[in-house]
Amino acid sequence: MCGIMGIINKKGMAIKKVIEGLERLEYRGYDSCGIAYLTNNKIETVKTKGRVKDLKELIDTDIKSDIAIGHTRWATHGVASTINAHPHTVGDITLVHNGIIENYLELKEILISKGYQFKSTTDTEIACALIDFYYQENKDIKKAIISFMDKVKGSYAIVLLCKDIKDKIFVIKKDSPLVIGVNTDTVFVASDIPTILSECNDYYLLNDLEWASISSSEITFYSNKGEEQVKERQTFKDGNFTYSKDKYDHFMLKEIMEQQDTLSNLINYYIEDNKYLDLIDISKYKRIDIVACGSAYHAGLVGKYLFEEEANIETQVYLASEYRYKKNFLDENSLVIFISQSGETADTLACLKKIKETKAKSLGIINVENSSISIAVDEVIYTKSGSEIAVATTKAYTSQIAVLALLTLSSLAKHNKSYDIDKIINELKNIKDDVKKVLDDKDKYKSIAKKIIASKKIFFLGRSIDYAIMREGDLKLKEITYLSSECYAAGELKHGPISLIDKDTLVIAGNTNKILYEKTESNLSEVVARGANIILVTNKGKANSNTIVIPERSSFISPILEVIPLQLISYYTGVFLERDIDKPRNLAKSVTVE
Ligand code: F6R
């Protein structure tokens, strides 16, 4: 999704710093980019369709400038093009924007009737014109921003330059992320904390419906009514973010390989001194809803399995985009768990805001510290997997499962004295070795990737917890390879989709669940009888070129071991197909629009 970067730097380095920031924002996914900077008392704008490296070719980064703003755009209103790229300038105002102006068509008509003309098809240019319109009334930027916030509907993080004010940038926020970082000679404005973490230690967070006026020596915060706000300067605690691929060709591979450490560090942290017992007691609640999007939703499906089958706690899992418009049945006995790597996903955040109107308790399982969801929930558990740069999530997803497993274990230890907790703890303690074993089988994963490429149709099948994991495998393959694949609960196949199965079909199946082992085997025999080839991920029997055998473990660990081969198979398929692995087309890391 769109990324924002703004800088005030007294040493004339603003252009260079903004470009560096845009490079760090690239992981969010984008299709065009641009920069506006102040030089010789004039605001210059350079923008282009394509990557930051294309933008760099159009700019002399040695030009001295103290103030610059930049943007990576992920197209929503209007195609990816240079004209639609940000910054936009209308009259005296130049700005970049992340979010969606919902009433932009209505505003456009009003502005056209006032004489404004538009070059782009974006909602952002309308926002820019609206601020300019109010600014021209009496050349008061404060009044213009307040009137804008009053009139506009939707979500926005805006960073703005005004032609007449040469020493300040202004930022405005509602429902889109924005952070202000400070060090001795520079103020940074960015869409997320990781982008500025290498540059500064202290930061301020704006709440929704707040804005700020920023000069090199002073930051003043205001409400949407213009009242000054007192804000606490905060200090980054987590220095765990890095932007290096190390020896790997892609961030995705690095992040897959890192799982042996991310998982064992997270789990050992909670096991040491029995800290897992301090986690929220899920069994206290009569209703548990898990709400998330994409892979985080798939982690939620694994959580449902663990809560229900192991801890006997009924649980519902919902896609955030559905939950936000659905009637809820929440009261003081309800717990709503929000799972999100970024902590900024618009739909998940909107659900959290909605349930805040009820008496339900909210718990966040979040990777990025101080992200919007992590701040707004009643309680947060961090997944501690460090920076995840590849758009397709891997290590953050398995850490989400690990946290759900620890919550289950915590409940069992408190309420089910007959449960063999020590056996699970021992398994958890050995997770590093188990993960290493499944990571090591690279040649096999490469040869399966070639079989995928040679097949006309790909199906993922599994039952119960295997189905949850196959859904994640299916999503990974789609994201990274752009191949079409289908995922079904194995028992559902004969109710329709089996008509698609023939000799050109490759079926990737999970079969690790003792209770359902034979049932899944029968379903697989049905597809073999129709000519399909099978790649099996199981914890029984002998491995061969089409069978991946993972260590036989409880359902606290097994789903993690089952998904890792699928991550690597998708990765190698994408590599063989020469896809843009870390930044797959059309995708964004942090989905901050609905
Ligand atoms: C898939 C992927 C997405 C995210 C989804 C939610 O690889 O990364 O499906 O899982 O967009 O994002 P977060 O977890 O940031 O809320």
Side-chain angles (χ1 to χ4, degrees):
M1 290 279 124
C2 302
I4 284 180
M5 188 73 200
I7 298 273
I8 301 191
N9 173 274
K10 283 182 280 181
K11 294 184 175 159
M13 306 275 284
I15 296 176
K16 188 170 168 284
K17 292 271 172 208
V18 164
I19 295 284
E20 285 169 7
L22 292 182
E23 283 172 335
R24 289 195 294 271
L25 285 165
E26 285 193 291
Y27 80 97
R28 293 167 71 92
Y30 70 107
D31 40 50
S32 57
C33 50
I35 179 170
Y37 53 91
L38 194 74
T39 183
N40 298 326
N41 267 332
K42 263 182 71 196
I43 296 170
E44 300 285 351
T45 299
V46 183
K47 45 192 198 172
T48 184
K49 184 179 169 190
R51 300 290 185 196
V52 178
K53 68 173 168 37
D54 306 314
L55 185 68
K56 269 161 95 176
E57 281 172 19
L58 303 173
I59 300 179
D60 177 358
T61 45
D62 291 334
I63 295 173
K64 292 257 174 281
S65 170
D66 289 349
I67 293 192
I69 60 176
H71 191 263
T72 50
R73 175 175 185 256
W74 187 85
T76 55
H77 294 71
V79 295
S81 67
T82 302
I83 285 186
N84 285 339
H86 304 201
H88 289 278
T89 299
V90 180
D92 293 341
I93 305 298
T94 297
L95 59 75
V96 294
H97 164 225
N98 177 8
I100 288 182
I101 306 297
E102 284 165 7
N103 56 340
Y104 82 105
L105 286 175
E106 172 199 328
L107 295 171
K108 188 172 184 176
E109 264 181 42
I110 299 171
L111 289 161
I112 288 173
S113 75
K114 305 280 179 200
Y116 281 89
Q117 290 177 348
F118 296 98
K119 297 186 207 104
S120 76
T121 50
T122 63
D123 53 337
T124 301
E125 197 182 5
I126 311 297
C128 192
L130 188 64
I131 299 175
D132 181 68
F133 171 70
Y134 289 126
Y135 180 67
Q136 299 308 335
E137 283 179 349
N138 41 27
K139 296 267 176 183
D140 182 332
I141 193 69
K142 188 172 168 183
K143 283 195 178 139
I145 290 174
I146 293 166
S147 303
F148 166 81
M149 291 173 91
D150 187 46
K151 187 80 181 171
V152 85
K153 293 199 185 98
S155 57
Y156 45 84
I158 287 175
V159 184
L160 172 164
L161 303 177
C162 177
K163 197 171 128 200
D164 304 325
I165 306 170
K166 304 272 177 356
D167 58 347
K168 285 192 175 121
I169 57 180
F170 300 89
V171 298
I172 321 173
K173 172 179 162 35
K174 178 179 170 268
D175 291 337
S176 284
L178 197 71
V179 57
I180 301 172
V182 280
N183 71 18
T184 43
D185 54 26
T186 310
V187 183
F188 304 84
V189 180
S191 296
D192 59 30
I193 289 177
T195 302
I196 54 174
L197 208 50
S198 56
E199 299 275 8
C200 54
N201 267 331
D202 290 0
Y203 67 99
Y204 298 94
L205 289 175
L206 267 75
N207 294 324
D208 285 337
L209 289 172
E210 287 184 341
W211 64 279
S213 155
I214 304 173
S215 73
S216 61
S217 55
E218 198 178 18
I219 307 175
T220 315
F221 297 93
Y222 299 95
S223 73
N224 58 334
K225 304 279 179 255
E227 300 124 350
E228 255 187 70
Q229 307 288 301
V230 180
K231 257 202 201 280
E232 202 187 325
R233 186 164 163 152
Q234 305 189 47
T235 301
F236 293 120
K237 288 188 205 83
D238 186 356
N240 211 2
F241 284 87
T242 80
Y243 280 88
S244 151
K245 279 190 245 173
D246 292 342
K247 57 185 179 194
Y248 298 102
D249 290 340
H250 299 100
F251 280 109
M252 184 177 176
L253 183 59
K254 176 181 176 236
E255 288 158 9
I256 292 173
M257 299 309 289
E258 275 173 357
Q259 290 176 109
Q260 34 189 325
D261 294 321
T262 52
L263 288 162
S264 63
N265 292 346
L266 174 73
I267 285 170
N268 286 325
Y269 171 81
Y270 279 103
I271 285 176
E272 214 172 274
D273 304 327
N274 289 336
K275 282 199 277 299
Y276 73 98
L277 293 176
D278 302 333
L279 292 170
I280 187 169
D281 187 355
I282 49 169
S283 42
K284 250 178 38 195
Y285 296 90
K286 292 217 166 69
R287 181 185 178 103
I288 298 187
D289 289 354
I290 300 181
V291 178
C293 303
S295 295
Y297 169 80
H298 296 155
L301 294 175
V302 176
K304 174 182 165 74
Y305 178 91
L306 289 167
F307 289 7
E308 291 189 342
E309 304 302 322
E310 301 291 348
N312 221 11
I313 302 168
E314 193 186 351
T315 306
Q316 312 299 331
V317 192
Y318 295 96
L319 292 165
S321 53
E322 295 291 319
Y323 195 76
R324 72 184 283 185
Y325 297 111
K326 142 188 181 336
K327 189 168 176 180
N328 65 50
F329 299 89
L330 305 171
D331 60 22
E332 63 279 9
N333 296 313
S334 312
L335 173 69
V336 186
I337 302 180
F338 296 91
I339 307 179
S340 174
Q341 187 285 129
S342 62
E344 302 293 350
T345 301
D347 282 321
T348 314
L349 187 57
C351 294
L352 173 58
K353 287 188 176 156
K354 186 175 153 189
I355 75 118
K356 287 251 162 200
E357 289 156 19
T358 73
K359 293 200 169 115
K361 170 137 178 146
S362 56
L363 167 69
I365 299 178
I366 310 291
N367 195 40
V368 178
E369 294 198 14
N370 283 319
S371 52
S372 303
I373 299 174
S374 75
I375 290 170
V377 279
D378 295 327
E379 211 165 301
V380 62
I381 304 174
Y382 286 113
T383 43
K384 297 177 185 291
S385 30
S387 50
E388 194 179 64
I389 306 294
V391 164
T393 183
T394 50
K395 61 175 180 169
Y397 163 78
T398 48
S399 288
Q400 289 162 354
I401 295 180
V403 167
L404 291 160
L406 288 161
L407 280 169
T408 312
L409 195 69
S410 183
S411 161
L412 283 165
K414 285 170 202 152
H415 302 285
N416 187 339
K417 297 295 168 211
S418 59
Y419 204 91
D420 193 350
I421 299 288
D422 289 344
K423 177 179 166 251
I424 307 296
I425 299 242
N426 279 336
E427 270 193 1
L428 287 168
K429 277 187 181 155
N430 285 329
I431 188 145
K432 188 166 183 154
D433 292 343
D434 282 343
V435 169
K436 195 169 171 332
K437 266 179 223 148
V438 289
L439 284 171
D440 277 350
D441 225 351
K442 295 206 190 51
D443 287 343
K444 184 186 286 181
Y445 305 143
K446 284 181 192 165
S447 95
I448 293 172
K450 287 185 181 145
K451 289 176 189 163
I452 289 178
I453 293 168
S455 305
K456 290 212 175 102
K457 282 175 267 184
I458 320 288
F459 272 70
F460 286 83
L461 297 181
R463 280 170 178 262
S464 187
I465 198 161
D466 292 317
Y467 174 49
I469 292 302
M470 289 301 129
R471 289 187 67 171
E472 175 61 9
D474 171 56
L475 181 65
K476 285 280 95 65
L477 190 76
K478 287 182 167 99
E479 286 177 292
I480 301 304
T481 68
Y482 318 154
L483 295 176
S484 292
S485 55
E486 312 249 2
C487 181
Y488 280 94
E492 184 62 15
L493 205 63
K494 57 173 90 61
H495 298 287
I498 201 163
S499 63
L500 296 171
I501 304 286
D502 60 21
K503 64 175 179 28
D504 296 322
T505 313
L506 185 71
V507 171
I508 302 175
N511 198 5
T512 64
N513 186 334
K514 267 189 208 129
I515 301 165
L516 293 168
Y517 196 81
E518 273 94 33
K519 302 272 175 210
T520 305
E521 267 200 332
S522 307
N523 297 135
L524 297 183
S525 306
E526 289 157 10
V527 298
V528 171
R530 283 151 186 89
N533 292 308
I534 306 244
I535 302 294
L536 183 65
V537 188
T538 181
N539 50 14
K540 275 213 164 88
K542 274 217 162 96
N544 61 39
S545 60
N546 287 339
T547 305
I548 300 161
V549 179
I550 60 170
E552 191 175 355
R553 299 289 177 260
S554 72
S555 49
F556 291 79
I557 310 274
S558 186
I560 291 174
L561 303 179
E562 187 175 359
V563 83
I564 291 172
L566 304 180
Q567 295 172 341
L568 280 165
I569 288 168
S570 293
Y571 171 76
Y572 287 118
T573 311
V575 169
F576 294 146
L577 291 170
E578 296 180 11
R579 303 301 193 224
D580 192 351
I581 299 286
D582 287 334
K583 296 190 276 292
R585 70 182 182 201
N586 303 339
L587 295 181
K589 184 69 185 161
S590 183
V591 184
T592 50
V593 294
E594 183 173 356

